[in-house]
Amino acid sequence: MSKKIVVLLLVALFTLSGVLMASTTLILWDQNQSTEKIVKMFNEKMENEGKDIRVKLEIIPYDQMVPKFMASLSTGRAPDLYGLDIVQFPYFISIGAFTDITNWAKSQPYFDELPQGMMKVGMKGETIYALPYQIDMSTLLWNKDMFKEAGLDPEQPPKTWYELVEIGKQLTIDNDGDGIIDQWGFNLAGGGAGAYMFWFMPFVWGNGGSMFDDDGNVTLDSYETVEALQFWSDLIHKYKIAPLSSVQYGSGDRYNAFVSGKLAMYLGGNFNITSLRKDAPNMDFGVTPIPKNRGGFATFGGGSLLGITSQCKNVEAAQEFMAFIYSDEAQIEAYAPNLQLLARPSLYDNKYYNEIPQMAAFADILGYALTPYSTNYNEIYDPVQYYFESVFLGKMNAEEAVKKCTEEIKQIMNK
Amino acid sequence: MTLRQKKNFSGLLFLLPVMIMVGIFFIYPLIRVLITSFQEWNVMGGSKFIGFENYTAALTDDEFWLTLGNTIIYALIVTPMIFVPALLLAVVLKKTSRSSKFFRTIFFLPFAISFVASSYMWKWIYNDTYGILNYMLTSLHLISQPINWLGETWLSRIMVSIMVSWKTLGFSMIIILAGLQGIPNEVYEAASIDGAKKSQTLRFITLPLLRPTLILALILSVAGSFKAFDHFFIMTKGGPLKTTETIVMYINKVAFEYYNIGLGSAISVLFLIILLIVSFFQLKAGGFSNE
């Protein structure tokens, strides 16, 4: 008896939810709360224009982005649009989880200004599956007050490795003479391969090295990589401007050290600015590219791409929504107030960014953005973490580590 | 329908909601994992059966054995760290009085915090640049340089275990307390008439009568520590150099970072079998096999 009722209830529930999700209700998955505003703006616009398209936003926490997507794809209940972590795209494109939007994308007026390095990650050959959506870039942040206290020019952050060491030494201070360092000049960005990719790879690039060439061959085994690894290790063991423990620090640990005035130069990114202004309102800090050595400035172009999934019920409607997301109005009114980095550089001159001096640096930094491309991206995390960490902990020589790491990455790529 | 049948039927009816829940959230996923473990699983459909390939891949993988070893070492460290204080606290707080109620609440409170939150909390406490533990120890001149508590393999295992013990011993304590209160007072009275000392009552009455409860608490706590994930994921990320990577972290990595759901499922099944064996021996050691 009660079983029947339960079954009836379940059936009623499913039919009801089917009605609510009519073919013109698009589901958008995103990790960004401020997208809510765009969805609201879009739904209002559709209502005013009398169109039968609505978008429903579901916020997906970063850690759940892949498991949830896999589960939904396998049951045929994937969202219509997905703003997914950029590094996951090559794999999901390779298994056919996204829809070809090449022709539509190329017809968009803003197409040419989207960052090319990130765009490549959303492509397979010449076919476009996703567009740069929200941008996160790795940068160096520095505490200007500490520079002043140490007698340094607060407007001259380090631009080269050499300057990083020289300035770092003056900022690594034992205040009370008890032999315990009270303020560190620098922290390594440790705590995992994700951090190494995001903050350490710019040092390799800035030394003229790379992980892959344009054809996807592994090029990590080079003198440039060895030198960069050795340099990071030296920051701890030789120059002593970063604590050994920072090899294990997650970005939260570094952030806390920076906020609490125990760290002068901090490997962070654009995403720190809003929270720093809130957590340390009196701190005067600047944003600058990660110091370079023999190569040019470089930054990891992270963040997310936006694509239409292959299980989308109405691609045309999804494209209409995408076009709205990239419109001046949506970008500036929804993302710029939260100091989100926009995918369209031409909009960087807006009233919200202009109020914040730190935002000025990003129009330039965006030009240096690089993103490694690999369908096995997550698997290369393993050797990267193990061998890089071995070097930073002083347990393996840099040359040997790079050799072994490269070998393992090659094995993964050839699988 | 006889009365007996009627009674059985209404009994089953009462069980139905639980059975549905267990069926949907435990039995069904378990069967799916079993099936998937024999497949080369494809997200977009079209998975195919590949026999025992996933199992041989798992058993020949160094990282499987490494993470299994890490997990066992951790379970061996953390179990006594939870269990001994929980038992002592339960004995001390057995009598119902205002102060014992207060302390029971205090010790149980951390259990109500999520592992994620307490992991972050203790990561702050342990930090060597701004953590309060190093600050206190250096201020008291007990150590001359701040210690990187989560930076060394053994030290980080112990420091994480301290956090886990702080967080979960309240739960074990409550279970043991319930068992203690189930021991009839007459037995103690008889013992005191026979002139038994306090230590003797503990050794010959409390512990033997408490055995079923102790075994239950032990199995729950050992199974819990085998399943360790959040705290290592947050506090050490498996480092330094994978020495604190647990088997559940490895399953998570294989399934959701390497997208190899088939292999992940196979490791999960192997892990389940290992847990069953461990629990079986615990039951046997507790004398349950004879009853």
Side-chain angles (χ1 to χ4, degrees):
Chain A
M1 192 49 192
S2 67
K3 207 172 186 177
K4 260 186 192 162
I5 294 175
V6 169
V7 171
L8 269 175
L9 269 176
L10 281 175
V11 169
L13 210 71
F14 280 125
T15 7
L16 203 68
S17 62
V19 171
L20 288 175
M21 283 184 240
S23 62
T24 40
T25 299
L26 302 168
I27 306 292
L28 164 67
W29 281 9
D30 197 330
Q31 56 168 329
N32 190 343
Q33 207 77 45
S34 44
T35 306
E36 218 158 82
K37 197 165 174 187
I38 289 194
V39 169
K40 206 171 149 227
M41 285 159 76
F42 179 76
N43 286 343
E44 272 166 17
K45 184 169 170 250
M46 289 297 107
E47 205 170 338
N48 292 339
E49 292 176 10
K51 283 189 191 164
D52 189 26
I53 304 173
R54 297 290 181 276
V55 173
K56 190 168 165 269
L57 172 70
E58 288 171 12
I59 300 283
I60 311 292
Y62 182 78
D63 292 337
Q64 287 299 311
M65 294 199 106
V66 171
K68 273 203 132 141
F69 194 33
M70 290 181 88
S72 69
L73 280 171
S74 66
T75 51
R77 298 179 68 89
D80 298 277
L81 296 115
Y82 199 0
L84 174 69
D85 188 356
I86 183 169
V87 295
Q88 306 293 347
F89 269 88
Y91 171 76
F92 282 107
I93 290 172
S94 77
I95 61 166
F98 285 95
T99 301
D100 177 358
I101 51 169
T102 315
N103 292 330
W104 172 83
K106 285 189 173 160
S107 71
Q108 298 300 304
Y110 49 82
F111 179 75
D112 289 326
E113 57 169 299
L114 297 173
Q116 288 305 304
M118 290 177 71
M119 176 84 90
K120 267 193 193 157
V121 185
M123 292 168 70
K124 190 178 170 189
E126 294 300 307
T127 314
I128 300 169
Y129 292 92
L131 296 180
Y133 180 35
Q134 287 156 354
I135 300 178
D136 286 334
M137 287 191 292
S138 43
T139 59
L140 186 75
L141 285 77
W142 82 99
N143 184 325
K144 293 185 182 177
D145 303 328
M146 287 183 179
F147 271 57
K148 267 181 235 162
E149 276 165 32
L152 293 157
D153 182 348
E155 298 309 325
Q156 291 296 325
K159 291 190 172 56
T160 63
W161 292 6
Y162 175 78
E163 287 173 10
L164 179 66
V165 172
E166 289 311 306
I167 292 176
K169 279 180 184 165
Q170 295 182 58
L171 290 166
T172 303
I173 301 167
D174 170 12
N175 278 326
D176 44 13
D178 61 357
I180 300 169
I181 304 290
D182 300 296
Q183 175 190 312
W184 288 96
F186 190 68
N187 271 184
L188 299 195
Y196 294 156
M197 296 302 294
F198 197 66
W199 285 289
F200 175 70
M201 279 314 289
F203 281 80
V204 176
W205 293 325
N207 199 29
S210 64
M211 185 167 257
F212 304 108
D213 65 11
D214 287 341
D215 302 322
N217 301 310
V218 187
T219 51
L220 190 66
D221 189 3
S222 66
Y223 178 69
E224 285 78 15
T225 314
V226 173
E227 204 178 23
L229 272 175
Q230 190 60 48
F231 178 68
W232 261 36
S233 174
D234 286 347
L235 292 175
I236 298 173
H237 303 281
K238 188 170 161 193
Y239 307 122
K240 299 188 191 306
I241 64 167
L244 178 62
S245 52
S246 64
V247 177
Q248 261 107 30
Y249 276 14
S251 42
D253 301 309
R254 287 201 311 287
Y255 179 81
N256 292 340
F258 191 64
V259 168
S260 58
K262 306 245 176 204
L263 173 62
M265 293 181 286
Y266 164 56
L267 286 174
N270 48 293
F271 39 86
N272 295 126
I273 294 177
T274 316
S275 51
L276 272 174
R277 288 168 55 82
K278 203 169 67 211
D279 294 339
N282 298 321
M283 185 200 289
D284 190 6
F285 67 94
V287 176
T288 187
I290 288 172
K292 63 184 173 117
N293 192 30
R294 290 184 294 166
F297 285 122
T299 177
F300 189 107
S304 59
L305 304 180
L306 180 64
I308 299 171
T309 70
S310 52
Q311 292 174 2
C312 175
K313 296 173 291 275
N314 187 340
V315 174
E316 227 162 89
Q319 284 171 346
E320 179 157 5
F321 176 62
M322 254 178 106
F324 181 76
I325 283 191
Y326 287 96
S327 67
D328 298 13
E329 181 197 3
Q331 290 275 311
I332 292 179
E333 291 311 320
Y335 290 150
N338 293 333
L339 305 183
Q340 199 102 47
L341 267 193
L342 307 178
R344 295 181 50 193
S346 69
L347 301 178
Y348 279 28
D349 186 13
N350 65 60
K351 61 178 182 227
Y352 299 105
Y353 283 14
N354 290 343
E355 272 174 31
I356 315 293
Q358 288 91 350
M359 293 305 290
F362 285 103
D364 287 335
I365 298 176
L366 188 61
Y368 315 133
L370 294 168
T371 313
Y373 182 109
S374 163
T375 50
N376 307 80
Y377 185 82
N378 290 337
E379 279 180 76
I380 67 175
Y381 267 29
D382 218 41
V384 163
Q385 170 152 8
Y386 189 83
Y387 291 109
F388 288 12
E389 193 174 307
S390 299
V391 176
F392 303 150
L393 290 173
K395 290 186 175 164
M396 195 184 275
N397 136 333
E399 212 165 313
E400 186 192 347
V402 171
K403 269 217 167 62
K404 286 189 171 163
C405 185
T406 310
E407 259 167 47
E408 284 192 23
I409 293 179
K410 278 183 180 163
Q411 272 173 18
I412 291 167
M413 306 295 286
N414 292 333
K415 254 200 235 172
Chain B
M1 212 183 258
T2 65
L3 187 67
R4 194 187 158 83
Q5 273 171 330
K6 239 183 194 164
K7 260 190 178 168
N8 281 345
F9 181 73
S10 55
L12 279 176
L13 218 56
F14 277 114
L15 278 177
L16 197 65
V18 174
M19 277 159 66
I20 291 174
M21 292 281 280
V22 170
I24 294 176
F25 295 109
F26 182 69
I27 310 281
Y28 174 69
L30 189 66
I31 293 168
R32 280 306 300 259
V33 166
L34 256 173
I35 295 171
T36 314
S37 71
F38 291 102
Q39 284 179 326
E40 188 185 320
W41 197 75
N42 193 331
V43 187
M44 304 298 287
S47 309
K48 57 173 191 275
F49 282 93
I50 51 169
F52 281 89
E53 236 172 77
N54 286 326
Y55 286 93
T56 42
L59 291 171
T60 51
D61 186 354
D62 294 341
E63 202 163 344
F64 171 75
W65 296 106
L66 172 78
T67 52
L68 182 63
N70 289 342
T71 311
I72 292 172
I73 293 172
Y74 162 71
L76 288 176
I77 295 174
V78 79
T79 306
M81 282 173 71
I82 297 172
F83 224 68
V84 174
L87 181 62
L88 291 177
L89 282 176
V91 172
V92 171
L93 299 176
K94 193 180 78 175
K95 281 206 192 96
T96 313
S97 66
R98 195 173 292 175
S99 65
S100 78
K101 272 184 188 160
F102 173 75
F103 280 108
R104 277 181 212 169
T105 314
I106 290 286
F107 287 115
F108 189 73
L109 219 48
F111 188 73
I113 305 171
S114 82
F115 254 122
V116 175
S118 53
S119 299
Y120 277 113
M121 226 164 82
W122 282 75
K123 208 178 168 203
W124 280 36
I125 294 175
Y126 289 155
N127 185 286
D128 61 334
T129 319
Y130 51 79
I132 192 158
L133 181 61
N134 275 307
Y135 177 76
M136 291 195 316
L137 292 176
T138 47
S139 303
L140 295 169
H141 297 287
L142 293 172
I143 52 176
S144 63
Q145 280 295 323
I147 294 172
N148 184 10
W149 298 107
L150 298 171
E152 301 285 336
T153 304
W154 281 99
L155 194 58
S156 67
R157 280 175 181 148
I158 290 167
M159 298 319 277
V160 171
S161 300
I162 289 176
M163 184 280 286
V164 175
S165 163
W166 167 81
K167 189 183 134 35
T168 54
L169 71 85
F171 179 69
S172 298
M173 177 191 80
I174 292 291
I175 294 183
I176 298 171
L177 257 178
L180 277 178
Q181 285 165 346
I183 299 174
N185 245 336
E186 291 80 6
V187 189
Y188 286 109
E189 276 165 21
S192 70
I193 288 168
D194 287 343
K197 289 190 205 103
K198 271 240 160 99
S199 60
Q200 284 172 321
T201 4
L202 183 73
R203 165 83 179 72
F204 293 106
I205 295 178
T206 311
L207 285 179
L209 286 176
L210 201 58
R211 200 181 58 195
T213 317
L214 282 178
I215 293 295
L216 171 73
L218 192 68
I219 288 177
L220 283 178
S221 124
V222 168
S225 37
F226 264 78
K227 289 187 288 184
F229 176 75
D230 324 36
H231 31 299
F232 283 107
F233 191 74
I234 290 164
M235 292 176 80
T236 70
K237 289 247 173 211
L241 300 175
K242 286 188 191 174
T243 48
T244 59
E245 185 177 309
T246 64
I247 190 146
V248 179
M249 281 168 81
Y250 180 53
I251 293 172
N252 178 65
K253 191 162 85 177
V254 168
F256 298 120
E257 287 178 25
Y258 300 174
Y259 319 112
N260 197 339
I261 303 275
L263 181 58
S265 303
I267 303 170
S268 305
V269 173
L270 289 172
F271 178 51
L272 178 71
I273 294 169
I274 293 166
L275 258 186
L276 283 177
I277 294 172
V278 171
S279 302
F280 171 76
F281 278 112
Q282 280 176 294
L283 280 173
K284 207 168 171 183
F288 275 81
S289 52
N290 319 327
E291 283 159 30

